[in-house]
Amino acid sequence: MSIDWAIIPMAGIGSRMRPLTRAVPKELLPMVDKPLIDWIIDEINLANIANIVLVTHPSKVAIKEYFSDLEQVRTSAKIHIVEQMEPLGLGHAVGCAQSVIGLEDFAVILPDVLLTDVQSHLVSPILKNMVDIFTQTQQSQILVENVEVSEIEKYGIAETTSSNLQISRMLEKPGMHETDSTLAIVGRYLFSRSIWKEIEQLKSGKGGELQLTDAIQNLLVKEIVCCYVMGVGDESYDCGNKLGYVRAFLQLAQGYK
Ligand code: G1P
């Protein structure tokens, strides 16, 4: 079976992009010739995922308005909107989508993170590749990329068994001395339906939040979870911060030369 559901957690207030995000939700900020969220939707379209669940907050009125005009949104996927009323963490945000999805397999796409295809400078096929692998293996996969040791405390980190891409341990934002791994989660996840139970049972983790990373750790002791490592030429951009946003803009603009 393939993946029919994509969750986009977007209830956050965009604090790292203030004061701009006081005027515009970060998902609607311009990225070359369209809002940032359209690049994410393009990636989901390319992966042929039939349903998109936006997990948003009632204060983000502009998001609801934008998605009410489906001719603008350019996707054949069905859009569902659910609300996360309190910022209790990424694990909680994903859990909010269960009321719509039920107990199905699903993808999670963090809209802060833009992936670019090095050749075309346009939409990345990584999510599509991950979905193709899932269709064959039915195994959960987490997208990771190697980061500097000094950066690991900003990310969820995956440790792998030495011989393959199976994840042996996950840590959310560890200190430099807590792990030897530099494989950082970069915002794309595919989950088998078994993760729902782990999300329901989440307890407060790093920063007092319900962490998706902890749910993955609890899943991997029961079934195989693999990582999908970004290729040498693939780039990821954290558009939730000012420098990452500007770098992504310049990179993607080159695709229009
Ligand atoms: C979240 C996840 C983290 C992941 C990161 C990717 O953290 O909790 O595991 O590495 O996204 O962008 P955040 O950046 O929301 O604090």
Side-chain angles (χ1 to χ4, degrees), residues 130 132-141 226:
M130 291 173 75
D132 289 346
I133 294 171
F134 185 90
T135 307
Q136 289 164 22
T137 64
Q138 306 292 299
Q139 288 168 352
S140 299
Q141 289 161 68
C226 289

Side-chain angles (χ1 to χ4, degrees), residues 16 90 110 113 154-156 172-173 185-187 189 211 213:
R16 291 180 297 161
L90 183 56
L110 304 189
V113 181
K154 296 185 190 161
Y155 296 95
E172 178 66 10
K173 306 193 175 90
I185 303 175
V186 280
Y189 312 74
Q211 296 290 355
T213 303

Side-chain angles (χ1 to χ4, degrees), residues 16 26 89-91 110 112-113 143 152 154-157 170-173 183-189 209-213 216 238:
R16 291 180 297 161
K26 64 181 171 184
L90 183 56
L110 304 189
D112 279 0
V113 181
L143 180 65
I152 65 172
K154 296 185 190 161
Y155 296 95
I157 298 294
M170 296 286 315
L171 302 101
E172 178 66 10
K173 306 193 175 90
L183 291 176
I185 303 175
V186 280
R188 304 290 181 272
Y189 312 74
E209 295 189 346
L210 300 178
Q211 296 290 355
L212 186 57
T213 303
I216 306 169
D238 177 6

